[in-house]
Amino acid sequence: IVLVAADAGDTLVNTATVTGAPDTDINTNNNTVTETTLVVRNVDVGVTKTTTDTVVAGGQVTYTIEVTNNGPGDARGVEVTDTLDSRLTFVSFDAGTSGASVAQAGQDLTFTVGTLTSGQTETFTILVDVATSATGTLNNQADITTTDTDTVAANDSDDIDLAITIDTDLVIDKSVDVSTAVPGQDTL
């Protein structure tokens, strides 16, 4: 029994060789055998999406996205896809120490995370503008994928529903031109 490393490649090659001493082997052509074994890389990647912001029409929201590989193998080709609501506009991306990069196609943001070792967690943030006409509730979801076999699908998506508030600042200004006021007459 052998333990396969978490970062093993796609195949394992094992060679066994036999020698005979002090006897002489008359057929050395069958003294070595090589076995190649395909490696199935099982991983459990997950994504969590949070914010501490209150959503205000015309304001901004920062979403924090945390990606994790619960193992047992290293997860390769990890990507997160986030489709922004039509009332949101992408402003900026902060990779933190994750090394992730982002590409935008319309309202779709794709974060390329790369390889996550077993037990590794990385965090990054995105900043978005909220439309001034936005009302109701904003739903925003992040989905994670890997090119390896993800054994737990339940943690591959996370979404947030945020109620949009509208802040208003109504000002009334009433001024009277006292220079034209006449006693006993109405003044506008």
Side-chain angles (χ1 to χ4, degrees):
I1 296 177
V2 295
L3 178 65
V4 178
D7 63 348
D10 293 329
T11 58
L12 297 175
V13 178
N14 188 1
T15 301
T17 303
V18 65
T19 59
D23 299 327
T24 304
D25 188 345
I26 59 171
N27 181 6
T28 58
N29 292 331
N30 63 358
N31 290 3
T32 300
V33 64
T34 299
E35 181 68 33
T36 301
T37 305
L38 295 177
V39 175
V40 176
R41 192 180 289 268
N42 289 331
V43 299
D44 172 18
V45 293
V47 64
T48 304
K49 186 168 191 172
T50 59
T51 187
T52 58
D53 294 344
T54 300
V55 180
V56 178
Q60 293 186 321
V61 177
T62 299
Y63 289 108
T64 300
I65 300 171
E66 185 178 88
V67 293
T68 302
N69 176 16
N70 298 307
D74 291 354
R76 300 170 296 178
V78 177
E79 286 188 345
V80 175
T81 303
D82 191 326
T83 301
L84 297 177
D85 184 279
S86 62
R87 299 167 289 176
L88 297 176
T89 302
F90 176 67
V91 175
S92 65
F93 169 69
D94 182 356
T97 61
S98 71
S101 62
V102 66
Q104 182 177 10
Q107 291 298 98
D108 292 335
L109 302 176
T110 301
F111 307 97
T112 302
V113 180
T115 299
L116 288 175
T117 60
S118 179
Q120 183 179 0
T121 298
E122 294 293 345
T123 304
F124 49 90
T125 61
I126 58 171
L127 178 66
V128 295
D129 284 335
V130 181
T132 56
S133 60
T135 59
T137 301
L138 277 178
N139 177 273
N140 193 254
Q141 179 171 314
D143 300 300
I144 192 169
T145 60
T146 177
T147 55
D148 292 307
T149 303
D150 189 355
T151 58
V152 180
N155 59 356
D156 291 351
S157 295
D158 195 20
D159 69 321
I160 300 174
D161 288 322
L162 298 172
I164 301 170
T165 60
I166 300 173
D167 285 350
T168 56
D169 184 13
L170 300 176
V171 177
I172 187 166
D173 182 21
K174 182 176 180 180
S175 59
V176 176
D177 185 0
V178 292
S179 64
T180 59
V182 178
Q185 292 183 353
D186 291 336
T187 304
L188 300 176

